[in-house]
Amino acid sequence: MRSYETSVPSYGDAMEFEACGECGATGRWGTCEQLFHVLLALDHERRQPWAAYHSVNVACYLLQHPSLASREVLAGQWSIVAIFVDEGLEAVHTLTARAVRRNNCRASGRAEIVGRPAPQAVRPVGATIEDVSVDGSFPATGYEGRIRLWADATATARAS
Ligand SMILES: [Zn+2]
């Protein structure tokens, strides 16, 4: 890939990145999958502000890339996004803690959150994981606000 210093802008430049066929991200900081792995690594370090939003991140990512999950799984993820948008992060933590307790009782090993019907196809226009990443690094400053934009965009895409 050419560096920005030496490149001469032309109409062909946009073709250097492969846009995501599901969420529409441009791919300029890597594929959505690569960005998701960067984000998961931050979540799993249990550092804030990232860790608190882990379940919301996963839900937004899967709903914006519905080919990666079954309808059943997407229904559960949709509940997380809807509750986050409507009631906030604490309500999400209550929901996921309850689901973990239920799973522990059953020992089924399967995450299960009883879901609202999932969207057939989500085509976000407002914000993607690329926007949350800012420059591919998911900086802490403004992170919470960007997650809210991502969740709002995911919820709006479902309604349209
Ligand atoms: Zn994507």
Side-chain angles (χ1 to χ4, degrees):
M1 193 183 296
R2 284 180 295 168
S3 75
Y4 285 105
E5 288 75 28
T6 57
S7 74
V8 178
S10 76
Y11 290 112
D13 280 355
M15 300 305 291
E16 290 187 20
F17 312 112
E18 193 167 341
C20 176
E22 293 200 87
C23 78
T26 68
R28 64 185 179 278
W29 308 120
T31 65
C32 290
E33 187 184 355
Q34 287 167 337
L35 291 175
F36 187 54
H37 286 150
V38 172
L39 186 53
L40 285 184
L42 290 167
D43 288 356
H44 289 160
E45 285 173 14
R46 299 182 183 277
R47 284 164 56 203
Q48 304 303 347
W50 303 280
Y53 292 90
H54 174 66
S55 55
V56 177
N57 293 339
V58 172
C60 286
Y61 181 73
L62 289 178
L63 287 165
Q64 291 199 348
H65 302 86
S67 71
L68 300 176
S70 67
R71 284 179 59 88
E72 188 183 32
V73 168
L74 291 176
Q77 302 305 311
W78 171 247
S79 290
I80 290 172
V81 171
I83 285 170
F84 178 64
V85 169
D86 292 347
E87 301 172 37
L89 190 60
E90 280 308 311
V92 171
H93 288 167
T94 303
L95 175 79
T96 52
R98 208 182 293 141
V100 167
R101 271 199 305 275
R102 233 183 0 243
N103 284 345
N104 288 344
C105 290
R106 281 190 202 142
S108 70
R110 223 173 108 218
E112 187 179 333
I113 292 170
V114 177
R116 309 178 193 189
Q120 279 291 335
V122 171
R123 234 194 216 259
V125 287
T128 68
I129 191 168
E130 186 170 71
D131 299 307
V132 179
S133 85
V134 179
D135 57 2
S137 74
F138 300 92
T141 305
Y143 182 73
E144 181 177 347
R146 294 194 304 279
I147 291 289
R148 289 192 180 280
L149 289 176
W150 195 22
D152 284 344
T154 303
T156 302
R158 186 239 185 198
S160 61

